[in-house]
């Protein structure tokens, strides 16, 4: 069976990473969480005081330090899924915080950040057999991917999912703040100058607002089997 490239794009907090990880596990492909890569750059910027007091980014300093930011993925033996590493440190928990969520969209909108990470992503995906999720995988990173999915759900549903996820992890969460963050990220992601979020012309649309995780996983497997047949 031929190995293909699978691109899963869509809005924030609509479960792209969860479905991409599960699909990769089921079909034996490599999974790359591009959102985690942008979150890792954001965490680096927060740790190194690269945000001004008004929330703007010290872009010249960040651009200078980008070559020092190395993001990798390693399989977690306990979960069976990859964890994100920033310069050799596991940051899987830290990059999911609301603080990182509140700062990631402007970081992801910077052209030099996107250029650096897209190059890393394309290198990871050489030769197929990869499932990659993010905001511009089917339009920019892998425009010739054999299977492209664009995922969406209502802002309210996505905020509730994010709230539940943080609660389960024992992290502080406020639904109103999360909803505001989701709506702001949608606007920034869709209106940025470089690689704005949009559905590729040949992408299949999946609105999972009212779907269970098993239902969406079966739908994805159906699309995968069609693409490789």
């Amino acid at each position: 069976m031929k190995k293909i490239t699978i691109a899963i794009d869509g809005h924030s907090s609509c479960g792209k990473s969860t479905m991409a990880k599960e699909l990769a596990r089921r079909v034996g492909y490599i999974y790359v969480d591009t959102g985690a890569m942008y979150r890792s750059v954001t965490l680096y910027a927060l740790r190194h005081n690269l945000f001004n007091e008004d929330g703007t980014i010290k872009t010249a300093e960040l651009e200078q330090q980008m070559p020092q930011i190395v993001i990798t993925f390693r399989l977690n033996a306990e979960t069976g899924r990859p964890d994100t590493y920033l310069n050799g440190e596991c940051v899987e928990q830290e990059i999911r915080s609301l603080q990182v969520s509140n700062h990631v969209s402007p970081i992801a909108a910077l052209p030099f950040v996107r250029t650096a990470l897209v190059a890393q992503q394309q290198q990871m995906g050489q030769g197929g057999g990869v499932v990659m999720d993010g905001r511009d995988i089917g339009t920019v990173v892998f425009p010739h991917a054999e299977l492209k999915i664009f995922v969406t759900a209502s802002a309210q549903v996505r905020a509730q999912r994010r709230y539940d996820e943080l609660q389960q992890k024992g992290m502080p969460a406020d639904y109103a703040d999360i909803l505001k963050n989701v709506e702001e990220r949608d606007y920034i992601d869709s209106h940025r100058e470089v690689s704005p979020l949009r559905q590729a012309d040949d992408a299949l649309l999946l609105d999972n607002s009212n779907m269970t995780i098993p239902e969406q996983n079966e739908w994805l497997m159906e699309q995968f089997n069609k693409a490789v047949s």
Side-chain angles (χ1 to χ4, degrees), residues 34 38-39 59 77 98 104 157 213 215 219 228:
T34 63
Y38 288 100
R39 285 175 171 271
T59 52
L98 189 56
V104 66
V157 166
I213 290 176
E215 284 172 346
W219 183 89
V228 297

Side-chain angles (χ1 to χ4, degrees), residues 2-62:
K2 66 177 181 179
K3 288 202 167 186
I4 65 172
T5 298
I6 303 169
I8 301 181
D9 289 315
H11 294 96
S12 67
S13 303
C14 59
K16 297 185 303 299
S17 297
T18 301
M19 68 179 71
K21 287 174 186 174
E22 179 60 18
L23 180 60
R25 187 192 67 78
R26 291 179 73 175
V27 303
Y29 278 21
I30 296 166
Y31 166 70
V32 178
D33 181 354
T34 63
M37 296 175 75
Y38 288 100
R39 285 175 171 271
S40 296
V41 175
T42 305
L43 180 63
Y44 178 95
L46 287 165
R47 286 178 170 182
H48 290 80
N49 300 312
L50 298 180
F51 284 94
N52 295 305
E53 287 187 12
D54 62 357
T56 57
I57 305 159
K58 299 175 183 176
T59 52
E61 292 179 39
L62 178 58

Side-chain angles (χ1 to χ4, degrees), residues 73-116:
F73 296 93
R74 299 181 200 170
L75 196 65
N76 183 314
E78 291 184 9
T79 64
R81 290 177 171 171
D83 286 337
T84 311
Y85 284 74
L86 170 61
N87 293 335
E89 176 197 352
C90 181
V91 293
E92 189 64 34
Q93 183 89 347
E94 290 88 338
I95 61 173
R96 308 298 173 184
S97 70
L98 189 56
Q99 184 188 25
V100 170
S101 295
N102 284 333
H103 289 84
V104 66
S105 286
I107 289 282
L110 294 171
F112 64 84
V113 173
R114 300 202 74 81
T115 298

Side-chain angles (χ1 to χ4, degrees), residues 5-216:
T5 298
I6 303 169
I8 301 181
D9 289 315
H11 294 96
S12 67
S13 303
C14 59
K16 297 185 303 299
S17 297
T18 301
M19 68 179 71
K21 287 174 186 174
E22 179 60 18
L23 180 60
R25 187 192 67 78
R26 291 179 73 175
V27 303
Y29 278 21
I30 296 166
Y31 166 70
V32 178
D33 181 354
T34 63
M37 296 175 75
Y38 288 100
R39 285 175 171 271
S40 296
V41 175
T42 305
L43 180 63
Y44 178 95
L46 287 165
R47 286 178 170 182
H48 290 80
N49 300 312
L50 298 180
F51 284 94
N52 295 305
E53 287 187 12
D54 62 357
T56 57
I57 305 159
K58 299 175 183 176
T59 52
E61 292 179 39
L62 178 58
E63 185 169 14
Q64 188 178 19
Q65 295 179 44
M66 275 305 295
Q68 303 169 26
I69 302 174
V70 179
I71 301 156
T72 54
F73 296 93
R74 299 181 200 170
L75 196 65
N76 183 314
E78 291 184 9
T79 64
R81 290 177 171 171
D83 286 337
T84 311
Y85 284 74
L86 170 61
N87 293 335
E89 176 197 352
C90 181
V91 293
E92 189 64 34
Q93 183 89 347
E94 290 88 338
I95 61 173
R96 308 298 173 184
S97 70
L98 189 56
Q99 184 188 25
V100 170
S101 295
N102 284 333
H103 289 84
V104 66
S105 286
I107 289 282
L110 294 171
F112 64 84
V113 173
R114 300 202 74 81
T115 298
L117 295 190
V118 165
Q120 288 190 40
Q121 292 155 14
Q122 289 173 332
Q123 190 173 12
M124 291 175 186
Q126 286 178 346
V130 65
V131 182
M132 200 171 287
D133 73 275
R135 304 285 198 283
D136 60 354
I137 312 306
T139 54
V140 176
V141 183
F142 294 117
H144 303 297
E146 292 89 343
L147 177 59
K148 299 179 186 179
I149 309 290
F150 189 88
V151 192
T152 189
S154 72
Q156 291 76 15
V157 166
R158 288 183 283 135
Q160 186 64 50
R161 288 175 181 167
R162 186 86 181 116
Y163 174 83
D164 293 343
E165 179 186 1
L166 291 170
Q167 286 281 92
Q168 288 170 5
K169 292 179 178 179
M171 299 172 73
D174 179 271
Y175 174 80
D177 288 344
I178 295 170
L179 178 60
K180 182 170 178 282
N181 172 253
V182 165
E183 292 171 339
E184 286 175 350
R185 288 179 68 189
D186 283 353
Y187 183 85
I188 294 172
D189 290 344
S190 301
H191 290 79
R192 62 174 177 241
E193 289 184 23
V194 180
S195 305
L197 172 66
R198 69 175 182 84
Q199 181 180 343
D201 294 336
D202 54 347
L204 302 172
L205 179 65
L206 170 62
D207 185 334
N208 65 8
S209 297
N210 300 306
M211 293 178 77
T212 65
I213 290 176
E215 284 172 346
Q216 78 179 10

